[in-house]
Amino acid sequence: MSTADSGPWWRGAVIYQVYPRSFADGGGDGIGDIAGIRSRLRYLSELGIDAIWFSPWYPSPMADAGYDVADYRDIDPVFGTLAEAEALISEAHELGIRTIVDIVPNHCSDAHPWFRAALAGGPDAPERELFWFRPGRGPNGDERPTDWVGEFGGPTWTRTVNPDGTPGDWYLHLFAPEQPDFNWDHPRVRAEFEDVLRFWFDRGVDGIRIDSAGLLVKDGTLPETRPDRPHPFRDLDGVHEIYRSWRRVADSYPGDRALIGEVWLPDRQRFANYLRPNELHSAFNFDFLGCVWDASALRESIDGTLGAHAPVGAPATWVLSNHDVTRHVTRYGRADTRFSFAAKREGIPTDLELGTRRARAAALLSLALPGAAYVYQGEELGLWEVEDIPFELRQDPMWERSGRVDPGRDGCRVPLPWAGDAPPFGFSPDGAAAGPWLPQPADWKDRTVRAQTGDPHSMLELYRAAIAIRRSEAALGDGALTWLPAPDQVLAFAREPGLTCLVNLSAAAVPLPAHERLLLASGPLDDDRLPPDTAVWLRTG
């Protein structure tokens, strides 16, 4: 965040996403853990980030990589202990790094004590009211209560077996069957999660990232989905009262505690409703993440984002990759550079050299835009999507539930390369008993932290330089943007005072505008011209 920015930290922060299973392994079992993260905090400090967002680290059977939570107030032993997490939060604060934890409120694990009690107690168990248990349709209740399609594809209801062995009711799960949905109409569910927020705020975390934030409330009449009426479980108006109550919890703590939503909505006005002054502080900008590499499309996305956020006074966020999507080095090297879950397929040709060049330019673009920027672990190393993971090693339920059509998300979750010429590339300590939980490409030997450190042409040093400039420049971080005249397929905008960002998405080099000094370029310049797929930051006054 710019040193000149005296507003709340979350308005202009650079936030780094740590996927704990894949960041660094301190225990030698091939799985990343808190000990590994603590050992690499200095690296994150030197990168210059303002905050870390940790993907779920709670006790879990790992049916969906920890997004099936069995206990929201503890740490899974594979990652460490609660005491270690508290130490990590404290050590990060000592380095000036804030912390954000992931809360998954739409659903839990089928190993959660509430759900276990709901099954064990049979049809009359009071815990069933905390979930969506319903009788089936048809004479014998053999048909699912609805034909809703899940977020991973496939059906959304699983039938239970009563304690006496007879077929029972069905329960709702918008994701995998191991992830039963909570009933947010029940006051006990609402009280439980407000207490979970307090639990983590009491331990010093600075923010809460809310998974699947728009799905919590369901239409209790269970209508089928139809295009001519509101969706039965996406973005229902009742969700906003939940976040107003969460905001009251966050505001009761000192130090600008932030609520950050994962909200996948194409309607920008509906999206902005989550960011009203008494609801969430910010939300992820998936429109920009999924945008095609095209100047007019990117400008429309940027303008639409800023326009939607302005009336509610919320900062925009700029995201290029995360733990759910194809890494942007790979996406930008394809003929179709967009991202969508519906279009994800294997075997799409990719030009990694082109993708890397565009990813470097996109980094300068995203870090120059007004608001907060997110960096997904490994994007600062220029890592690409690993698309040749053997079928038997894949763990993402998307792979199986899509009928093996969607390749899943394992390819963006492969453990990071830190040093060395061969796997595990320093991810695990020397002499580790097991290899990384997902295989690393041998070609990542040129993408390790050690290989890139000190190389002025590396992706890592580009990110370090860009974040350092962002922290020192009053023009960057939160604030306003002014578009400047530019040739076709070129983005040019000013950030005041005195900084211009220029991104050339055309097929030919373009002349640089008048400027006092070149602050940073994503690639070599052609004399005083900006080559294709290259970006610059210029001092202009």
Side-chain angles (χ1 to χ4, degrees):
M1 186 165 58
S2 169
T3 55
D5 188 351
S6 59
W9 64 272
W10 42 269
R11 295 195 63 93
V14 177
I15 301 170
Y16 187 95
Q17 182 188 356
V18 164
Y19 191 74
R21 178 174 288 265
S22 298
F23 186 72
D25 168 24
D29 61 358
I31 298 173
D33 48 35
I34 293 174
I37 300 169
R38 293 172 70 186
S39 73
R40 302 291 185 178
L41 276 178
R42 183 63 59 181
Y43 165 78
L44 295 175
S45 177
E46 292 172 352
L47 185 60
I49 59 156
D50 298 295
I52 305 170
W53 154 36
F54 299 103
S55 292
W57 51 13
Y58 311 107
S60 168
M62 302 294 171
D64 183 25
Y67 282 88
D68 49 320
V69 179
D71 184 349
Y72 292 85
R73 298 177 181 84
D74 205 352
I75 301 296
D76 194 289
V78 76
F79 298 131
T81 66
L82 182 58
E84 287 182 286
E86 291 170 339
L88 170 58
I89 293 166
S90 176
E91 290 162 2
H93 282 163
E94 291 172 3
L95 293 170
I97 299 173
R98 300 176 189 265
T99 54
I100 301 165
V101 298
D102 215 318
I103 297 295
V104 186
N106 178 70
H107 51 266
C108 62
S109 167
D110 58 3
H112 191 284
W114 285 3
F115 192 72
R116 286 185 169 178
L119 294 182
D124 296 326
E127 289 82 4
R128 292 203 170 196
E129 297 179 4
L130 306 176
F131 300 94
W132 288 91
F133 282 86
R134 292 293 185 273
R137 296 179 294 182
N140 300 312
D142 294 337
E143 300 175 25
R144 298 181 183 91
T146 71
D147 293 325
W148 295 352
V149 176
E151 300 299 287
F152 289 164
T156 57
W157 296 90
T158 291
R159 195 169 196 183
T160 63
V161 177
N162 292 323
D164 64 3
T166 60
D169 287 339
W170 300 71
Y171 70 87
L172 175 67
H173 49 85
L174 296 185
F175 293 83
E178 297 87 353
Q179 296 168 288
D181 279 36
F182 285 114
N183 174 16
W184 275 88
D185 294 334
H186 199 290
R188 188 176 170 189
V189 173
R190 299 194 179 211
E192 167 71 1
F193 275 91
E194 289 182 23
D195 190 69
V196 167
L197 297 187
R198 294 187 186 97
F199 179 90
W200 288 105
F201 284 145
D202 288 345
R203 275 150 187 81
V205 304
D206 302 279
I208 303 290
R209 182 264 188 185
I210 306 160
D211 181 72
S212 301
L215 300 180
L216 277 57
V217 173
K218 281 79 174 175
D219 184 337
T221 66
L222 302 184
E224 295 295 346
T225 55
R226 283 185 8 194
D228 61 338
R229 62 188 179 194
H231 198 279
F233 59 79
R234 289 183 186 148
D235 186 39
L236 297 187
D237 289 340
V239 76
H240 295 286
E241 176 51 39
I242 295 170
Y243 296 131
R244 285 191 285 271
S245 72
W246 286 26
R247 181 63 175 261
R248 289 191 289 271
V249 173
D251 288 349
S252 71
Y253 283 82
D256 293 324
R257 311 297 174 105
L259 301 174
I260 303 159
E262 181 197 28
V263 183
W264 292 83
L265 283 178
D267 186 318
R268 287 172 176 153
Q269 180 57 58
R270 299 288 298 184
F271 175 89
N273 287 344
Y274 289 79
L275 303 175
R276 288 175 289 201
N278 61 346
E279 295 191 35
L280 305 182
H281 296 83
S282 68
F284 289 94
N285 183 359
F286 292 108
D287 183 84
F288 181 77
L289 180 153
C291 191
V292 64
W293 186 249
D294 172 86
S296 58
L298 283 166
R299 177 164 176 170
E300 195 281 331
S301 178
I302 294 165
D303 283 341
T305 297
L306 296 176
H309 285 70
V312 291
T317 65
W318 309 103
V319 188
L320 296 172
S321 286
N322 68 22
H323 65 292
D324 283 334
V325 307
T326 305
R327 285 189 177 275
H328 60 279
V329 163
T330 296
R331 300 198 317 266
Y332 288 157
R334 291 175 170 169
D336 183 351
T337 53
R338 296 171 296 173
F339 174 79
S340 72
F341 284 108
K344 274 182 68 180
R345 295 295 183 268
E346 294 198 273
I348 301 175
T350 299
D351 181 341
L352 290 178
E353 182 179 348
L354 174 63
T356 299
R357 188 163 64 250
R358 288 173 170 174
R360 292 174 64 90
L364 294 198
L365 170 61
S366 63
L367 289 167
L369 292 169
Y374 283 78
V375 177
Y376 175 51
Q377 64 175 46
E379 79 173 67
E380 80 280 14
L381 302 177
L383 301 187
W384 56 81
E385 187 83 358
V386 181
E387 300 185 285
D388 59 354
I389 298 172
F391 294 168
E392 65 274 13
L393 297 181
R394 299 187 187 192
Q395 301 191 26
D396 184 10
M398 268 192 175
W399 161 243
E400 291 291 352
R401 287 183 65 81
S402 68
R404 299 191 170 187
V405 173
D406 187 321
R409 299 163 293 177
D410 292 320
C412 65
R413 300 174 176 182
V414 173
L416 297 190
W418 292 94
D421 295 324
F425 294 120
F427 171 72
S428 298
D430 293 341
W437 69 281
L438 286 174
Q440 301 159 304
D443 288 348
W444 276 4
K445 61 183 176 61
D446 298 325
R447 292 291 187 272
T448 69
V449 172
R450 182 174 297 172
Q452 296 194 51
T453 296
D455 178 357
H457 305 296
S458 71
M459 185 76 83
L460 177 57
E461 294 299 349
L462 177 71
Y463 268 81
R464 284 173 170 165
I467 295 172
I469 293 172
R470 180 184 168 102
R471 291 178 69 90
S472 66
E473 285 288 330
L476 296 177
D478 196 21
L481 170 154
T482 302
W483 291 106
L484 302 174
D488 187 45
Q489 285 299 308
V490 175
L491 296 173
F493 57 88
R495 300 295 313 277
E496 297 298 338
L499 189 144
T500 292
C501 177
L502 197 72
V503 188
N504 183 8
L505 292 88
S506 74
V510 297
L512 295 178
H515 59 281
E516 295 180 359
R517 182 162 58 95
L518 172 68
L519 295 177
L520 189 62
S522 67
L525 301 185
D526 180 8
D527 292 326
D528 206 29
R529 298 172 65 82
L530 185 66
D533 298 314
T534 308
V536 290
W537 291 353
L538 304 172
R539 165 71 63 233
T540 51

